[in-house]
Amino acid sequence: MKAVQIVKPEQLEIIEIEKPVIDNKNNVLIKMTAAGICGSDIGIYHGTNAAATYPRIIGHEMVGRVEEVGPDVQNLKPGDRVIVNQVTSCGECYPCKKGRGNVCDHLAVRGVHIDGGYREYITVPESDCYILPDSLSDQDAVMIEPTTIAIQSCTRAELEKDDMLLLYGIGALGSSILKIARQLCDYIIVADVVNEKLEEAKKAGAKYTINVLEEDFQAKVLEYTHGRGATVSIDAACVKNSLLLLLQATGNAGRVITMGFSTSATEVNQFLITSKELDVRGSRLQNKMFGKAIEMIHGGKLDLAGSVSHTFPLTKAQEAFDFIDSKDTSIRKIVLTFDF
Ligand code: MN
């Protein structure tokens, strides 16, 4: 069967590997049907994802159909459409004991630290599979994974009805966060550098938008928050200076959520945090959020239909990655398909 492997940074290959077999009684064999391409996949390809190891079969937005089940599998049967959890954890370490397996000391993320879903078949434990709502196509269902990341950040932010949220960055990650944040609070300010995307954010429920290249970011945040600053800021831009900007733009007793992996030094100082007693919290991956995302879809609170802008067959992964690098403004979610 075919798989997409990043052999080393900047080297993507379509490789031929053995079809996996069920080697654990709790495992299921899944025939992949759709796999999303995420910014972090592009990062692994370009060698800018510090967490990744090589060579790696990437892909962590994994949708498919159960083809075979191991003898101890309880709840899944052949034909079930599922999305696969990207996070695997040990269950024994301090974070796992605290119920935070997404930052397990032995964390292994499919498609990052261990092989992921850009391959025709994958075997995973039954407990890592979530049955898809009938209403959702396999391609749109890849969006459940980014949605879980968005739910994680809003959960870490303890976002509530009376918050004034500042969401910095309205690319793929920010758009998913906006969808979730809208369910939790009404007062959302979105900042970005692309006017077209800011317009879309307004249509998607942002109250105010700021173009950080054209406007005075801090002054606008103050204006839109009646002079007090945001109560919650989420960094979905994840660029060198975004943490500093958000620490400045957040008011007393606020929460600032980081999601980026930038290692560039910035001018962050203690006064910014202590004087306002800010909670600065990281939000990484997701912690048991697949069920929540699917529940929201079933409840009619979340619609992921129409999220996909382009598809490429798995064997054309190179073209898909090159297209994403072109930064074409029509790009939203790009999905690899398996009908080649
Ligand atoms: Mn993703």
Side-chain angles (χ1 to χ4, degrees), residues 154-326:
C154 292
T155 305
R156 293 284 289 154
E158 297 181 58
L159 197 58
E160 289 180 340
K161 205 72 194 160
D162 62 351
D163 277 313
M164 289 190 287
L165 168 66
L166 171 60
L167 174 58
Y168 185 28
I170 195 73
L173 176 61
S175 300
S176 286
I177 294 170
L178 179 57
K179 271 192 178 176
I180 300 304
R182 282 281 291 124
Q183 320 259 341
L184 301 165
C185 85
D186 303 321
Y187 208 109
I188 302 173
I189 303 158
V190 172
D192 199 280
V193 294
V194 182
N195 283 325
E196 202 180 345
K197 289 188 174 173
L198 290 171
E199 280 305 311
E200 279 180 31
K202 269 243 165 96
K203 284 182 204 140
K207 194 176 176 75
Y208 300 107
T209 59
I210 302 169
N211 185 319
V212 295
L213 295 180
E214 296 170 3
E215 296 173 282
D216 181 335
F217 179 70
Q218 301 299 340
K220 281 290 168 189
V221 172
L222 282 179
E223 181 189 328
Y224 295 149
T225 57
H226 323 300
R228 77 161 314 282
T231 65
V232 171
S233 295
I234 299 180
D235 181 11
C238 309
V239 290
K240 181 175 186 263
N241 266 329
S242 47
L243 174 58
L244 176 62
L245 288 179
L246 295 185
L247 291 175
Q248 291 166 334
T250 307
N252 292 348
R255 285 90 74 202
V256 178
I257 307 302
T258 73
M259 303 185 77
F261 280 87
S262 169
T263 54
S264 306
T266 63
E267 299 297 312
V268 170
N269 61 62
Q270 294 188 22
F271 182 80
L272 278 170
I273 298 168
T274 312
S275 63
K276 298 187 275 194
E277 207 172 55
L278 299 177
D279 286 336
V280 182
R281 298 178 187 162
S283 180
R284 184 172 188 188
L285 298 160
Q286 55 80 31
N287 189 19
K288 303 179 196 81
M289 297 302 181
F290 277 93
K292 284 195 179 155
I294 289 168
E295 214 173 275
M296 288 173 79
I297 296 167
H298 281 304
K301 289 184 174 162
L302 179 67
D303 183 9
L304 298 179
S307 312
V308 178
S309 61
H310 304 79
T311 63
F312 290 80
L314 183 80
T315 45
K316 297 262 164 64
Q318 182 71 61
E319 284 161 51
F321 277 53
D322 290 345
F323 181 57
I324 291 173
D325 279 341
S326 78

Side-chain angles (χ1 to χ4, degrees), residues 38 40 60-61 145-146 149 333:
C38 180
S40 64
H60 60 271
E61 300 175 358
E145 191 273 349
I149 309 297
K333 176 55 77 179

